Amino acid sequence: MRAQLATDFERLKQRGLPRDFPSHVREAYGIDLTARYLGTTIPHPIGKGSGQLSLNQGQLEVDAEAGLAFAVLKTVIAQDAAGAQSMAAWAIHEAKMKVERRGGGWTVTWKGRGWDRSFEEYLALARVGGDLTRDGHLLVVPSVKYHLPRLGEPFKDSEYAFTTRALAAAWGEPLLLLEKDFSPTLAGDALAGEQEQILRWLREVPTHIRGQAAVRLAMKIMNARFDDDFQLEMVRAASGADGLVVFNRLFDPKQGVAYGGPELTERNLRVLARLTPGGSPGIPELSGTGGITSGRDILEYARRGCESVQLHTYFQLPLDEYAATEGSRTQRALHQLVFDPTDGLIAGMLELETQGVLERRGGELHFLDLAANAHHAR
């Protein structure tokens, strides 16, 4: 299998990664890459996180053709029927992103603002996403930043109602899949300076969203400006969601920007490891994000309970950072993440089998077994 993996890696470098590569992985290596996001079965665990790479139909179509498992749309800022936005400070144009090395790895540095076009344009994109999802080409999930009140203030349900209902109508049947974004730049805002305030948001936001439409909800949790213990408190407070995206980028208060890289990966995995030994009842489905640059990174998140992962930076590296010379950036990234004979997903799962960490069922290794077994002592 390892010899075949090296051959596949070289062959696909020049031919481009086929859309149905999970079928080849299953047939050639006896590895089932099936994963899950927001209760939906997906062919493999790799998705694209919300941001500048998922803000138009063309990008979604390229990702569908590449065989990406899912894509989360750029975050739209909630509004009421009159167009008023309490979080309007996030609906400004901050498109400039800087791909750079930080702490020995790659990061994209930017101010992390949301959708700056009209709400009608976002609804049109959500319609495209709903169609792609129903046709089985690509799971597409809208993302929203809703009003977050200060302690003692009420939630602006007029914004929750108008935005959620409009998205549900645009999405169509079945129920709306939705991600609530706690932006990394929120961590640098005065709003996020009080722990009780943050915990209230995490406890109460799901109820305010669910009261407006039939929704399956994921909440993307930020890295707050507090210690690891508080990150765990945040996860427990968010148990009312169907899924959690753990955890958003770090915030640099001096530069006023969000960033990722190895520092983010280390913190996220450290916190997630404390959720799993001995079991963590009440924790929703987890999707990992942060500093993922190899299949081995994906497996580290999986071994801490994540049933899928979301990447952003890795899809933006200079082209010479990918081994593949053909295909879109998404195809080249997937090729490296899955087939790299040393650090790819296949190589890592075969190694875990050798170590006795992962066992075959029905002659196959199953990616989801890693997350299922994460809630036992590691």
Side-chain angles (χ1 to χ4, degrees), residues 87-100:
M87 306 292 279
W90 274 266
I92 58 176
H93 186 68
E94 289 284 3
K96 186 177 178 63
M97 297 186 293
K98 185 178 182 182
V99 181
E100 58 186 350

Side-chain angles (χ1 to χ4, degrees), residues 34-45 69-70 133 138-141 171 174-178 216 242 285 307-308 368:
T34 298
R36 193 161 35 238
Y37 179 62
L38 264 182
T40 302
T41 299
I42 48 180
H44 61 85
F70 66 98
T133 299
L138 175 70
L139 176 64
V140 181
V141 179
W171 182 264
L175 83 171
L176 174 66
L177 303 181
L178 188 67
R216 189 178 295 153
D242 298 294
E285 173 196 299
E307 298 183 342
S308 65
L368 283 175

Side-chain angles (χ1 to χ4, degrees), residues 44-60:
H44 61 85
I46 305 167
K48 182 172 286 185
S50 174
Q52 298 297 112
L53 305 181
S54 49
L55 48 67
N56 62 57
Q57 181 174 342
Q59 290 171 320
L60 298 180

